[in-house]
Amino acid sequence: MTQQTYYSAEGEDVLVSKLFDRMFPGTCPGVYVDVGAYDPYRNSNTALLHEKGWRGVNIDCRPGSMDAFERARPFDVNLEVAVGLASGTATYWTFDRDELNGLHTEAEVDRLCRERGAYTVSKCAVPVEPLGDLLHSALVTGVDFLSLDVE
């Protein structure tokens, strides 16, 4: 028995891939949008689809996150921006533990530090744009698979 390769945290990408193969056999590869993309392969819900010829839009607000996407997925649209209801900026917090990194209010940061024993390493402003605006500017007219991994 061969072991199935998966990139997502629990193999969800294999299920999605099989579902599309069964529902739409023989069709052209599709278009994905991955919000909270994080990494081109590690814990990726779209890496397996990408390997099957799909293309799409990868979005993550973590500073420097799109460098790896530009190398691994140069034909995708790779956007280093936060998704929100309106255009603007937000504060991205980096902690000593990666799983806590993200957009937080000052009160949330204080609580995380107090309750979880974390400490902040840095903070910076990141751009925020509505998802519809991002897809419109990327000339995306149809989406076959939308992955949302956001806090």
Side-chain angles (χ1 to χ4, degrees):
M1 183 167 101
T2 61
Q3 184 174 350
Q4 176 68 51
T5 298
Y6 65 91
Y7 298 100
S8 62
E10 300 293 331
E12 303 91 339
D13 56 339
V14 172
L15 296 174
V16 168
S17 178
K18 286 181 178 181
L19 177 68
F20 274 97
D21 289 348
R22 288 186 183 136
M23 289 180 63
F24 309 105
T27 60
C28 296
V31 174
Y32 54 77
V33 174
D34 195 348
V35 180
Y38 183 67
D39 186 88
Y41 295 101
R42 193 169 139 223
N43 293 325
S44 174
N45 293 329
T46 57
L48 188 58
L49 297 174
H50 184 265
E51 287 183 351
K52 292 178 128 189
W54 288 51
R55 295 297 177 258
V57 179
N58 304 295
I59 304 169
D60 199 285
C61 67
R62 183 172 46 92
S65 61
M66 288 300 121
D67 295 344
F69 280 93
E70 289 296 334
R71 289 188 302 275
R73 302 186 192 183
F75 298 108
D76 282 1
V77 175
N78 302 304
L79 304 172
E80 198 169 284
V81 60
V83 173
L85 295 175
S87 298
T89 60
T91 303
Y92 184 89
W93 294 84
T94 303
F95 291 84
D96 59 319
R97 298 185 344 230
D98 284 348
E99 70 271 12
L100 301 178
N101 295 351
L103 306 177
H104 301 289
T105 64
E106 294 271 353
E108 290 170 329
V109 169
D110 289 342
R111 183 185 56 77
L112 287 169
C113 291
R114 190 176 57 256
E115 293 176 6
R116 295 218 167 150
Y119 64 89
T120 59
V121 175
S122 65
K123 68 178 182 174
C124 66
V126 295
V128 178
E129 293 295 334
L131 182 58
D133 292 355
L134 293 171
L135 297 181
H136 180 75
S137 66
L139 304 176
V140 173
T141 58
V143 176
D144 298 298
F145 179 67
L146 173 63
S147 175
L148 295 172
D149 184 4
V150 296
E151 287 69 43

